[in-house]
Amino acid sequence: MTPESLLASASINIGLAVVALWLFSVLKKQPRNAVVYYARRLSDRYHHRPLSLHSSLCLPRFLPSVAWIPRAFRVPEDEILSRHGLDALVLIRLFKFGIRFFLMCSLLGASLLLPVDYYNESDLPTRREYSMDAFTISNITRGSNKLWVHFSCLWCISFYALFLLHKEYKEILVIRLQQMKELRHRADQFTVLVRQVPLCPEHNTRGCAVDHFFSKHHRFSYHSHQMLYDGRDLEYLLGKQKKLKKELEDKRHTEILSNGSQEHKQISTSEEKLREITHMIYHLQSETMLREKELPVAFVTFKSRRNAALAAQTQQHSNPLELITEMAPEPRDVSWRNLAIPQKILPLNKIGVILAAALLTIFFAIPVTAVQGIAKYEKLKKWFPPAMAIEFIPGLSSVVTGYLPSAILKGFMYIIPFAMLGLAYLGGSISNSKEEIKACNMVFYFLMGNVFFLSLISGSLLDEIGEYLTHPRDIPSHLAAAVSAQAEFFMTYILTDGLSGFSLEILQLGLILFDIIRSYTYGRGKERTPYLFSFPYFRVIPTVSLSIMIGMIYAVVAPLMLPFLVGYFCLGYIVYFNQMEDVYETTYDTCGRFWPFIHHYIFVSIILMQITMVGLFGLKSKPSAAIATVPLILITIAYNEYCKIRFLPSFKHFPIQTAVEIDEEDEKNGEMETHYVDAATAYNRHQPCLERVSSAESPTNLSQPLLGTDSI
């Protein structure tokens, strides 16, 4: 890739970013777009924060502004934590980690690495002045002592990254434990999820077996239980009931306007159907009918957090395949459909998910290879002669080779997180948060394999495929060389993902166009509701982690990329802070359980950076530097093992010490009983099949009582 191609990519991405941000700042002021740009603040749960929009036709309403940018840097972390939860704060700190790390690396690269790379002592007359290789490690001659500068920078950058990781892990753990104390009203702190519940031999019901077992073995701490039911038919009827209610409202509105007898007859028929469905719902929600639909899953509530944590972390039954316990997710986070999947089928589901992810990874190799074919224009001309026509249009070849490959790759990448989230759902996770965490893992490793490694291999294969076939022993050295050879491509990728990607994220152009089409077609005359979605951690975290990985690997190899990464993380911080505040809602809070996975992604990035430098030192005939890098790899691995022992268990489990401290605080304030009594009914209130119909529609001739809290 030539400097002209890189300049073309930078110009297009900067232009797109400026246009997108300019449009956003104008469109955000228009009252009709509030359902898109202020969806979170317009929803019922967050409506206490007023909106200041220009309702009159005035000039400021149509002028762009940057007032929303400094807001992101003024809000303290405590305020982000209280508004959005610790998961949101973890993402914000991920962006801050990127800013701090790459800012230091940029200073180190500008003061040491760039001068060393550019001024080559033995090759000054023949250096390619207009090649990007002049600013990379590729410009250093074999065996040069200048490579010790790169070696020293590698150690410095590695230790700085480990220092930041340790600092973040320690601080986030402290915040997590404090947040658990602040959220002591949550039902999941008192509740244990029990799976593989056997049938009671006396009464032939599972609820009875749960009650007998925990009443006997947790006599003084057990409070109550809530069974899970197979409520597919109930959910269908409840959905049908909602649909009939909506249709009935529309018909009543039409009757008022038309004053016709035909509409009155249709209303009477709909009311009769609604009463029948309501009667069926009440009948199926009765205690006797629900007992027949019990699933081998229960939510068991204890009288203290300490006892709940002990029960979740210990084996309950002599048969480890029965009465399997773990801390329950919070009620709004539960994946009800997945809990209904039998435990013995879950391993098959997980195997199917792995196979599907592998097939998707293999399939994705096709567009990645094609993208590299576009980037390698000289080879493309040989393999596809019509491509030579591009040369007749001035500047087009720079656009095609500089901007187009990264844009196409980013377009293909957009669908991957959603595909992986669907696969994670099929894996049978008990909560939505665990589904997103699994999706994060699959997306990250997918991107690492396809976007990074396959881009390296594809680029190298397209350059020297013949030599690969004739000299297979040289493949490792070619792979090491490919890292520096592909620096320009990944620089354009960072530009596209950061400038264009973040700008289009905040612009929400697709949603704006959809809202316009909806307003003038099938949604005409209807009330416009906010487009409220949950925050897409599964999409943001892996993408940002991939950029950290690319930046770390190229921190020593191509320091010219580092300032772009500082801009990438600054823009990402501003954009996603705005999205948290105004657009996306918080549907759950895992109290920071995303961080251990982010830590692992960054650890993998550091190891890859060090291994890459070992290969490059060997390629540059500096074996002493390569051997001296091996202890650095061992230190990094040892540090990661230390983190697994020191920090990770407190993210996986509810520490007994913390549970006791919260219990003592509740007992001191006289709130313990209130909290565990609320927890006893929380999961039934959220279980979809137990949704209550309004009292106005209740049938009056039911012979069986509904399931109440006394029977739980």
Side-chain angles (χ1 to χ4, degrees):
M1 185 181 292
T2 62
E4 290 79 8
S5 299
L6 184 61
L7 183 62
S9 176
S11 302
I12 293 172
N13 282 297
I14 292 172
L16 280 175
V18 170
V19 170
L21 295 175
W22 182 84
L23 282 173
F24 165 74
S25 64
V26 173
L27 292 174
K28 190 176 183 179
K29 298 177 182 180
Q30 313 310 312
R32 81 169 313 277
N33 295 331
V35 293
V36 174
Y37 293 123
Y38 294 101
R40 183 180 187 271
R41 292 169 65 177
L42 286 176
S43 64
D44 295 335
R45 291 173 57 193
Y46 311 98
H47 198 54
H48 57 277
R49 298 179 61 202
L51 286 176
S52 55
L53 297 174
H54 297 278
S55 56
S56 58
L57 291 173
C58 54
L59 184 61
R61 177 176 164 181
F62 301 97
L63 292 177
S65 65
V66 293
W68 55 277
I69 294 178
R71 180 185 65 161
F73 297 98
R74 287 198 303 263
V75 177
E77 288 190 353
D78 291 341
E79 198 168 332
I80 296 173
L81 181 65
S82 62
R83 287 185 193 173
H84 311 288
L86 185 52
D87 293 334
L89 181 60
V90 162
L91 181 65
I92 290 297
R93 292 187 74 127
L94 175 61
F95 282 106
K96 287 184 176 180
F97 173 91
I99 294 170
R100 294 191 188 105
F101 177 76
F102 289 111
L103 187 59
M104 192 281 290
C105 291
S106 297
L107 296 175
L108 194 64
S111 59
L112 287 177
L113 293 176
L114 278 176
V116 169
D117 289 340
Y118 187 76
Y119 294 106
N120 188 354
E121 71 275 1
S122 64
D123 213 13
L124 283 171
T126 60
R127 188 201 307 128
R128 294 173 293 171
E129 298 291 342
Y130 300 103
S131 172
M132 297 304 298
D133 289 343
F135 301 97
T136 69
I137 198 172
S138 300
N139 201 43
I140 303 295
T141 55
R142 289 174 178 264
S144 172
N145 286 327
K146 287 186 175 183
L147 290 169
W148 288 111
V149 176
H150 297 79
F151 173 82
S152 302
C153 289
L154 174 66
W155 276 75
C156 180
I157 288 171
S158 297
F159 277 111
Y160 184 63
L162 296 181
F163 165 74
L164 286 181
L165 274 181
H166 186 271
K167 178 175 177 290
E168 291 296 320
Y169 221 148
K170 186 177 180 180
E171 291 180 1
I172 289 172
L173 177 58
V174 171
I175 298 172
R176 169 180 165 81
L177 297 178
Q178 184 60 39
Q179 185 76 347
M180 293 171 80
K181 295 177 182 179
E182 294 292 329
L183 300 175
R184 58 178 177 266
H185 62 279
R186 284 195 357 183
D188 56 307
Q189 294 190 0
F190 292 91
T191 310
V192 172
L193 175 66
V194 184
R195 308 187 77 174
Q196 290 298 95
V197 177
L199 284 169
C200 175
E202 298 178 13
H203 304 93
N204 202 34
T205 60
R206 300 183 190 276
C208 186
V210 173
D211 189 66
H212 287 174
F213 180 88
F214 285 95
S215 296
K216 179 180 179 180
H217 299 284
H218 299 268
R219 185 176 305 171
F220 302 106
S221 58
Y222 167 68
H223 177 258
S224 62
H225 71 277
Q226 304 164 63
M227 295 303 299
L228 189 72
Y229 304 101
D230 182 7
R232 286 173 290 183
D233 49 355
L234 264 170
E235 290 178 37
Y236 169 75
L237 289 173
L238 286 165
K240 196 172 181 180
Q241 184 200 44
K242 288 178 182 178
K243 186 178 178 181
L244 270 175
K245 282 181 182 178
K246 193 173 180 181
E247 290 178 359
L248 196 57
E249 288 176 6
D250 292 340
K251 287 176 182 177
R252 283 171 179 164
H253 180 69
T254 306
E255 183 193 26
I256 293 171
L257 295 176
S258 61
N259 236 355
S261 58
Q262 184 68 24
E263 285 77 10
H264 181 74
K265 188 176 181 181
Q266 290 178 356
I267 289 172
S268 300
T269 305
S270 297
E271 286 176 344
E272 183 61 31
K273 286 182 181 179
L274 186 60
R275 279 192 292 269
E276 290 177 6
I277 291 174
T278 304
H279 187 281
M280 291 172 66
I281 291 171
Y282 266 78
H283 176 65
L284 291 173
Q285 285 183 343
S286 64
E287 184 178 352
T288 306
M289 294 298 295
L290 285 174
R291 192 176 288 118
E292 296 175 1
K293 295 180 176 293
E294 285 180 347
L295 293 170
V297 182
F299 294 97
V300 178
T301 305
F302 290 83
K303 295 179 181 178
S304 69
R305 299 172 184 84
R306 172 186 175 275
N307 291 301
L310 287 172
Q313 298 174 35
T314 52
Q315 182 178 322
Q316 300 299 315
H317 201 275
S318 57
N319 181 359
L321 298 179
E322 290 188 4
L323 295 173
I324 304 169
T325 57
E326 61 181 300
M327 289 301 294
E330 58 175 322
R332 60 179 179 166
D333 189 24
V334 175
S335 180
W336 299 100
R337 289 184 180 273
N338 282 344
L339 281 180
I341 300 173
Q343 188 82 9
K344 58 186 178 182
I345 297 178
L346 286 179
L348 298 177
N349 285 24
K350 292 177 181 178
I351 292 171
V353 167
I354 293 171
L355 292 175
L359 289 173
L360 186 61
T361 303
I362 295 170
F363 175 77
F364 197 79
I366 299 171
V368 172
T369 306
V371 162
Q372 290 301 322
I374 298 172
K376 299 293 178 179
Y377 181 59
E378 295 301 322
K379 286 292 181 182
L380 185 64
K381 287 193 296 184
K382 293 180 181 179
W383 292 357
F384 188 63
M388 296 177 65
I390 296 173
E391 294 180 344
F392 295 104
I393 304 175
L396 185 59
S397 62
S398 298
V399 174
V400 170
T401 58
Y403 174 73
L404 200 58
S406 56
I408 294 173
L409 187 60
K410 183 62 181 175
F412 277 109
M413 277 175 49
Y414 186 78
I415 63 172
I416 295 302
F418 298 98
M420 292 301 186
L421 183 63
L423 291 177
Y425 173 78
L426 297 175
S429 299
I430 64 169
S431 63
N432 298 318
S433 58
K434 287 191 174 182
E435 287 173 10
E436 289 213 42
I437 289 173
K438 282 186 178 180
C440 280
N441 284 331
M442 290 193 290
V443 173
F444 174 75
Y445 285 111
F446 178 92
L447 296 178
M448 185 177 74
N450 280 276
V451 176
F452 183 72
F453 283 113
L454 194 57
S455 292
L456 291 179
I457 296 170
S458 298
S460 183
L461 283 174
L462 289 169
D463 277 338
E464 302 178 7
I465 189 170
E467 192 169 345
Y468 268 28
L469 295 174
T470 55
H471 302 90
R473 292 183 181 180
D474 295 338
I475 290 178
S477 61
H478 282 289
L479 289 177
V483 172
S484 56
Q486 291 291 90
E488 295 91 344
F489 170 76
F490 286 111
M491 204 176 296
T492 62
Y493 171 81
I494 293 296
L495 284 169
T496 304
D497 188 38
L499 292 174
S500 299
F502 290 152
S503 301
L504 292 175
E505 162 66 31
I506 201 170
L507 181 59
Q508 298 284 308
L509 184 60
L511 208 53
I512 286 287
L513 293 175
F514 173 78
D515 181 63
I516 293 171
I517 294 170
R518 179 177 175 271
S519 299
Y520 290 99
T521 53
Y522 67 93
R524 191 171 188 176
K526 295 181 181 178
E527 183 181 359
R528 297 168 70 234
T529 56
Y531 294 94
L532 192 62
F533 303 100
S534 62
F535 194 91
Y537 293 105
F538 68 97
R539 179 165 57 87
V540 181
I541 289 176
T543 306
V544 176
S545 300
L546 176 70
S547 297
I548 289 178
M549 188 186 76
I550 293 172
M552 282 187 170
I553 291 173
Y554 282 99
V556 181
V557 176
L560 196 63
M561 186 186 294
L562 298 172
F564 294 104
L565 283 158
V566 175
Y568 173 94
F569 284 98
C570 287
L571 181 59
Y573 176 87
I574 295 167
V575 166
Y576 281 106
F577 175 82
N578 178 84
Q579 301 301 82
M580 284 178 184
E581 285 286 296
D582 298 334
V583 180
Y584 296 119
E585 71 167 338
T586 303
T587 55
Y588 58 79
D589 186 10
T590 67
C591 289
R593 283 187 176 172
F594 281 95
W595 179 254
F597 297 93
I598 294 173
H599 172 91
H600 178 71
Y601 304 153
I602 299 174
F603 161 73
V604 170
S605 304
I606 297 171
I607 290 293
L608 286 175
M609 171 182 67
Q610 295 164 356
I611 292 174
T612 301
M613 291 308 300
V614 169
L616 284 171
F617 287 142
L619 194 67
K620 291 291 182 180
S621 302
K622 205 69 174 175
S624 54
I627 294 170
T629 306
V630 174
L632 180 61
I633 298 175
L634 298 178
I635 290 170
T636 305
I637 294 172
Y639 161 76
N640 186 60
E641 292 302 313
Y642 163 76
C643 287
K644 287 181 180 178
I645 299 169
R646 170 63 181 86
F647 300 116
L648 186 58
S650 297
F651 281 85
K652 285 186 173 181
H653 306 295
F654 194 168
I656 302 300
Q657 180 185 8
T658 305
V660 171
E661 289 174 357
I662 304 173
D663 286 340
E664 289 174 349
E665 187 69 24
D666 269 3
E667 288 173 353
K668 182 180 177 181
N669 298 331
E671 297 176 340
M672 178 73 84
E673 186 175 357
T674 303
H675 286 159
Y676 73 69
V677 168
D678 288 342
T681 58
Y683 291 89
N684 268 0
R685 291 197 300 268
H686 285 81
Q687 195 168 163
C689 67
L690 297 183
E691 182 182 338
R692 292 297 187 242
V693 295
S694 60
S695 58
E697 296 159 351
S698 303
T700 57
N701 58 346
L702 287 177
S703 58
Q704 292 176 307
L706 293 175
L707 182 68
T709 56
D710 295 336
S711 64
I712 296 173

